[in-house]
Amino acid sequence: MIGFGLRLAVAGGREALTRLAIIAAAVAVGSGLLLTTLAGVNAVNTQLTRYASMYPSASAGGGDVDPLWWSTREDYFHGKQIIRIDVAATGPDAPTPVGIPTTPGPGEYYASPSMQKLLATHPADQLGDRYPGRDLGTIGPAGLASPGSLLVVMGGTPDAVAKLPLAKRVTSVGDAPALPETTVNLILGVVAGGLLFPVLIFIGTATRLSAARREQRFAAMRLVGATPKQISVVAAVEAATAAVAGTAVGFLLFAAFRGSLAGIPFTGMPFFPSDMSLGVLDVFLVALGVPAGAAVAAQVSLRRVRISPLGVTRRVTPGAPSAYRLIPLLLGVGVLVFALGYRPETSGGQTAIFLPGLLLIMAGLVLAGPWLTMVGARVMARYAGRPATLIAARRLADNPKAGFRAISGIMLALFVTSVAVGTITTIVAERGPAPIGSTEAGTVSMYFGEKSPSAPDTLLADLRAATGVRHATAVVENPDMMSASEPGLIACTDLPSAYGRCVDGADVAEVATGLVPFRESASSTRVWPAASVPLGDLQRLPVMSIVVGTDGSAAAVERTRTVLETTFPAFRVAPNVPGDFESEFANTLRGWEQLANVTIITSLALAGCSLAVSVIGGLTERRRPFSLLRLSGAPVRVLRRVVALESAVPMLAVAGVAVGMGLLAAHLFLRAQMAYTLIAPGPGFYGIVLVGLAACLGIIASTLPLLESITGPETARSE
């Protein structure tokens, strides 16, 4: 039967070859996406393993290996993070950092290629003076988390490095376990589900192409003695043949686009092309699993043949879907509403609430889709003013499951991407970098923590004299921190007007550490409360931070940063601008947003193909009824409107419901998790959705010319 199935698959005429090509194309896209997802997970883990090598674990001492003093700190330049590693070997057997040939000595350093480019293209007083010494060369890919990583490995003496913050003695490097990144893997998994679901719909729709004729052929085989098992083998062989060819093309597509895919910053940083690798298990999973899945889809799509040899002729109108299909959808929304009042403290507990809620909504949308299609069809029929609208509405209401089946993938994909884009847009807006031109965007502050180092008496004067600096002041520690409203103190005469003023009659004010409260904006109208500490006691209190206000230019900000770092080389927290960390976090989120946009575009394209295949299959199966309508006087344009409305109306209705539910779920998640109010996505998101839907409609329109050619008078004859 396998050989017979192969002959039917490849020697069944133009219709069979067309069906094989469509199934192969669907499988090629699906397998390529699956390979990309698996390679993306491997790339994330590989990247995190290299990132972990920058933070080795301290050794307990002993052994024959000379320890290496190690201190890792973070710096920033133009909003980009720089990782600085200070090392000092205590003997000839000390380990060497990953990616460089030797450990640098005092006055020497290695830099990543991107860092060397920055050092060469910017004035030394803005960046180079922070890393004095002789450049020994570049750090290799093995020591970099990403091709664009900004990394410097500075050499020093053991005594000097031992006094740096976070200094540790290590006897091995490069073997630290990778930090778990369940969030990124979870996002990749959810996006993969959002992509693969429409692919499976596409495969199932392509398999159903000309299903009526194939069912009749298989039924005839049953009547001449073929068993249900033999029929299943023939159907499975036909689908598996196309699936094997499509899977091979999917591997070729992945190999061709692997380099481009590696450049997408899913984690905020692009990957090396070699990171997008596949393991042996991954290859076998796709090479064997995808054809097997296609074979199962083929058997399920032709299940009516296995009822009886006459099962094809025993067709009745399926029962109408009931409103009970809305229950899972409402339960999912209810879970997210419940999370507004109860949010577990642990990440595991939060996942146990939010993830089931989102999955319930996704499952509920798919289950409720036929009911929504039926309701929309009945409304359309009630207000139909033309024959085409009435025919299309009656057909959709007669079998809403079939009408919804081809566009169910787009519903899930739009929901997933709407949740992702809505959440990411809001977080970036709330926690992104300081707005350009704002006071805080030009504020550079250095926080000293518990141990305040001694500073030159001329430091503030030197800072004020620098080009682009408007003011520089010191904030001292508030001794009444437990009862005070703010942790710092400043003399009212030293408080810059851009950050507010003291309450009337006060000499000393309680202020925020950087004069800009956390997650707030600087304001000249802010009124700081009076402090109980006398003005004369300020000189005896330790300095908590130094705050420098600049004109906001990149040159002034980086020049100020360089002065502070060279004055305090043993900094624990580098001089920063409000939003430095948030800017890095926002870059990561934008990488996920790019992934969401890819999901939208790909899902809409697959949905359009599924609709096209569904339309072609429906036209083929209804050639005789449409021919009879033409003979009875119905113009071809009326029949075209019928076919267009049957496909376009459910798709547009489902798109609106999916986007609305996605934004609602995003709002509930943000309110429960972060107390944020949803900020609607920008025009780009809606533009992508509209362009994609228009492309789907165009694909549907391209199939309509077939209607006239296949519904001639000769087709109306009784078969």
Side-chain angles (χ1 to χ4, degrees), residues 622-708:
R622 290 185 290 162
R623 288 189 298 182
R624 190 167 182 270
F626 278 165
S627 298
L628 292 174
L629 285 174
R630 287 188 62 186
L631 289 176
S632 63
V636 176
R637 64 176 182 273
V638 173
L639 302 182
R640 287 175 178 169
R641 290 195 192 110
V642 171
V643 176
L645 288 171
E646 287 178 358
S647 304
V649 171
M651 184 184 70
L652 296 177
V654 159
V657 172
V659 172
M661 289 301 303
L663 295 180
L664 173 62
H667 173 71
L668 294 175
F669 170 79
L670 290 166
R671 290 299 304 170
Q673 185 73 3
M674 304 176 183
Y676 293 161
T677 299
L678 175 71
I679 296 177
F685 167 74
Y686 301 104
I688 291 175
V689 173
L690 292 177
V691 170
L693 292 176
C696 291
L697 294 175
I699 294 174
I700 296 171
S702 67
T703 65
L704 298 182
L706 293 173
L707 185 63
E708 187 172 4

Side-chain angles (χ1 to χ4, degrees), residues 71-365:
S71 173
T72 304
R73 293 174 290 170
E74 288 81 28
D75 194 3
Y76 290 92
F77 182 78
H78 289 189
K80 297 180 179 178
Q81 187 185 66
I82 299 174
I83 296 181
R84 171 175 177 161
I85 301 175
D86 290 271
V87 295
T90 60
D93 296 330
T96 302
V98 178
I100 58 178
T102 60
T103 301
E108 299 174 338
Y109 69 86
Y110 287 92
S112 64
S114 298
M115 187 65 189
Q116 286 186 327
K117 184 177 180 181
L118 284 183
L119 291 170
T121 55
H122 290 85
D125 63 346
Q126 295 182 28
L127 181 62
D129 290 345
R130 307 182 201 176
Y131 313 104
R134 183 166 63 95
D135 185 357
L136 296 180
T138 60
I139 302 172
L144 303 176
S146 169
S149 294
L150 301 178
L151 175 64
V152 178
V153 180
M154 302 284 299
T157 64
D159 292 339
V161 177
K163 296 178 182 178
L164 294 176
L166 307 176
K168 64 185 70 172
R169 290 159 53 98
V170 299
T171 55
S172 63
V173 294
D175 55 356
L179 302 174
E181 186 47 272
T182 55
T183 301
V184 176
N185 289 337
L186 176 61
I187 290 175
L188 287 173
V190 172
V191 170
L195 287 171
L196 292 177
F197 192 83
V199 169
L200 294 176
I201 295 295
F202 188 13
I203 294 174
T205 304
T207 305
R208 293 185 185 93
L209 187 61
S210 299
R213 289 185 174 272
R214 296 168 69 207
E215 288 172 351
Q216 292 171 4
R217 183 181 68 188
F218 289 146
M221 294 170 60
R222 290 287 310 279
L223 288 172
V224 297
T227 64
K229 182 178 180 180
Q230 290 173 326
I231 295 297
S232 299
V233 170
V234 172
V237 166
E238 183 180 21
T241 301
V244 169
T247 302
V249 175
F251 275 94
L252 295 177
L253 290 175
F254 170 74
F257 293 100
R258 187 175 73 159
S260 301
L261 294 170
I264 300 177
F266 295 144
T267 62
M269 300 180 291
F271 302 111
F272 289 102
S274 59
D275 294 343
M276 299 286 290
S277 60
L278 295 170
V280 176
L281 181 60
D282 299 331
V283 172
F284 275 102
L285 176 65
V286 176
L288 300 179
V290 172
V296 171
Q299 295 187 50
V300 171
S301 66
L302 300 175
R303 62 188 180 276
R304 286 184 295 181
V305 178
R306 296 194 297 271
I307 299 173
S308 72
L310 300 178
V312 175
T313 64
R314 298 177 181 177
R315 294 174 178 172
V316 296
T317 301
S322 65
Y324 291 110
R325 287 173 169 264
L326 295 174
I327 293 178
L329 180 63
L330 298 177
L331 286 177
V333 175
V335 170
L336 295 184
V337 172
F338 170 76
L340 292 174
Y342 174 75
R343 184 175 70 89
E345 297 296 330
T346 63
S347 58
Q350 295 168 15
T351 302
I353 288 183
F354 293 117
L355 186 58
L358 293 174
L359 292 177
L360 270 175
I361 293 178
M362 286 190 282
L365 286 173

